[in-house]
Amino acid sequence: MSRLSRRHALAGLGATGLGAATAVSALRPRRARAAEPVTVWWTQGFYQAENQAVIDAMATWEKSSGTKVNLTIMNGPDLISKMIAAMQVGDVPDLVHAVTGDRFLVPRAAWDDKLVDVSDVIATQQHEYHQTALESSKFYNATLKKHSYYSVPVKCSTMMEESWRPLIEEAGFSDKDMPTTQDAYYDFFQTVQDRLRSKGRRIYGLGYSMATKEADAGTLFHAFLVAYGGSGIVLPSGKLNVDDPAVRQAAVTALERLTTPYKKGYVPPGAINWGDVDNNNAFFAKQIVMTPNATISIAVAQMEKPDQYYKQVITQGIPAGNDGKPVPSLLGVSPCLIPKGAKNIDGAKALLSAFIQPNTLNTYLKETRARYLPVMASIIRDDPYWQDPADPHRPVAVEYGLIRPTIPWWMNYNPAYAAVLSEQIWSQAEANVTQKGMTPEQAADAAMTRIKAIFERFQIA
Amino acid sequence: MSVASRARLDRRLTELGIGLLSAVLLIWTLVPLYNMVRVALQGKEDVFSSNVFPTAPTLDSFATAIDESYWLLENFWGQMGNSLYIGLTVAFLTLAIGTLTSFTISRMRIRRGWMLTNAALLTYAIPMSFLAIPFYSIMGKYGLTDNPIAVIAVEVTFATPYAIFIFKQYGASIPLELDDAARIDGASPPQIFFRIYLPLMAPALVAIGTYALLLSWNEYLYAFLLLSSDGHITVPVGLGKFLNSDEAPWNYLMAAAIIYALPPMAIYYAFRRKMNSGLTMGGVKG
């Protein structure tokens, strides 16, 4: 768990300058190597300007280094599939930015010794980086039997809660009535639904994915797991800890608290088949009052409608625990990586080192409209954009993603957890409760049995 | 009730049942297509409204796709050109390989030619998707990644066995006496192939050509795996980029998809009669 204070950030900046400059200059490619191009695969952004910022940054580096960049921008899921295929056959690009790579690509590839150690690139900005972002970039290499940096953090995000103010007001409440603790917060929206339905509105109070596909359902389950005290499901040593009664109870409670509203009709029935986009769409169509989301993209989508952006959509961080204590957010970190077998590793490292210069990174991240947050202290400190008090969404995301306590996902401790996420084991457990009549206890135990089997394959020395 | 009235009643009930079943099947089939058109005719904000009919229908989405004025559609016509290039090349090569093979096996009566036909059909025992990684590996070794030739090669591989099978079956309906007569008149095998075999195979050629074109036209997996750069990708891969965002403009996506569906529909209706006869004749020997 880490905390990034403003003072800490200030202290880090000065110490970083000289060292970073030295490291970057050491990684700059020599002119003699300029002939070999750097092939880059980059996850497509949500916005044209976001992609353009990448293209511009690459063009600038191309000019300064004299090395050609072959940049291909492709959508996220395609990129992951294609990378897996490319690594299988050994025909890989030099540099890859995969938004969900921290879950679905890096942990296993690092384990299999298919990634280049990028500790030297990290070193160029070591003191700038948010501690959790750094922790999220360390993975275990089973061949070399050690943890090291196999990805370079570029941006991050945490789960946020979005709700419609006009609907809450229509139900007779105001912002101040919204509880701040876990159970009370989610129960509140059930009351809102009851009141709106009594007025003849066909609406659901809660709108979250319970599907066994894509990422949203898993993200929400794990936020609940942490809220109920299950953050120790995998220990930093990489050991699975599901036999800890506190972890088991947290999982059972999380399943119970997520599935009961669904069974009672407070979540749209179709949510068992929602993709990551569907809660956004249901929210925009005002079919639901609130929805959790992995970023603030829902609010950002309303940016061109000032009334909705500034007045109607509420963005909040995750609620405190039922005991009133803050709950750490799981920090999702989008990485860059260099696969082994890349033809121009030096060029890729030099390009990456240039890209993670705070100024360059900031220019790029602002074009994501703060859907993604910086992974560096100086960026949020030096640019008022990130904490603009007039903006009702961005500073909230910064607060919960970078200033309040955060923790890394567990695949950093053991890549087995990436397989747990890929197999959607916890979402499947939700389905077992909602559709197969299992109790939360039975579903949790079945999930844990499967998780134990997966961890058997990933023994860390 | 007389026997005649009962028979009339039974007939009416049967007709009513058939009518109802037909109506259900028709609605079942057309609703997705209708939704596609409905979404394309709506503004971005209305896409997820529960209205059955668009409240303010507009052709703006089609104009956007045609003008390429939305950033995800900025190379729509280029991608359409790529799809067309790949589709037509696949169709041509499939027809060329399929007809030459079937001609060689069935008209030139090579020994154990049946083994070739059967071996080719064996490729269908393995689903296309299972071969994705091996194909990716092969294309990588030949330096063909991000090259349309790679996709063409894969599509031709999958389309050709069916083509050979259909051509062989269809060719069996063309009397061998025609070949013998031509040979007596001094025709060489290539002349028989071009002047007798191919003209008589026209319905099967149309059917298989359309099949091969549609196979590659709608293909996504290999196109996305083997092609990368914007200048090479096909429309399905380009439209896949819409699904990256959690605020996808579905109206543009649907409009582009409808436009993309028009060429194969036009081809199908233009050659409908020949296609039908080609496919049915292929299934019945003699």
Side-chain angles (χ1 to χ4, degrees), chain A residues 9-32:
Chain A
L10 269 168
L13 182 68
T16 309
L18 189 59
T22 312
V24 167
S25 108
L27 286 166
R28 192 169 291 143
R30 291 180 212 124
R31 290 276 168 181

Side-chain angles (χ1 to χ4, degrees), chain A residues 336-408:
Chain A
C336 275
L337 56 106
I338 300 172
K340 276 198 171 167
K343 293 177 187 72
N344 190 354
I345 291 175
D346 286 350
K349 284 189 172 180
L351 170 56
L352 193 48
S353 303
F355 191 81
I356 59 170
Q357 292 291 306
N359 281 342
T360 309
L361 211 46
N362 189 29
T363 305
Y364 162 62
L365 290 172
K366 282 165 80 172
E367 296 300 352
T368 72
R369 302 185 191 176
R371 280 180 57 248
Y372 288 104
L373 304 171
V375 280
M376 294 177 182
S378 63
I379 294 178
I380 59 165
R381 187 197 55 229
D382 294 346
D383 190 339
Y385 169 86
W386 293 100
Q387 299 197 76
D388 176 5
D391 190 292
H393 310 286
R394 207 180 304 137
V396 184
V398 169
E399 175 79 18
Y400 279 82
L402 296 170
I403 295 170
R404 289 194 181 212
T406 52
I407 52 173

Side-chain angles (χ1 to χ4, degrees), chain A residues 41 44-48 51 72-73 75-76 78 81-82 85-86 89 91 277 280-281 285 287 293 297 301 305, chain B residues 45 48 71-72 74 133 136-137 140 145 220 224-230 237 240-242 244-248 250:
Chain A
W41 287 1
Q44 177 189 317
F46 275 28
Y47 315 106
Q48 188 174 18
N51 294 334
T72 299
I73 295 176
N75 84 29
D78 281 2
S81 311
K82 207 159 168 162
V89 303
D91 183 14
V277 64
N280 299 42
N281 291 328
Q287 292 164 353
N293 208 39
S297 64
K305 298 170 200 152
Chain B
E45 299 303 316
F48 293 98
W71 68 281
L72 285 171
E74 62 188 5
I133 299 293
Y136 188 87
S137 172
T145 45
Y220 180 82
F224 108 74
L225 203 60
L226 295 170
L227 303 174
S228 297
S229 58
D230 277 344
V237 179
K241 290 190 173 189
F242 274 78
N244 188 55
S245 158
D246 54 10
E247 46 166 317
W250 290 92

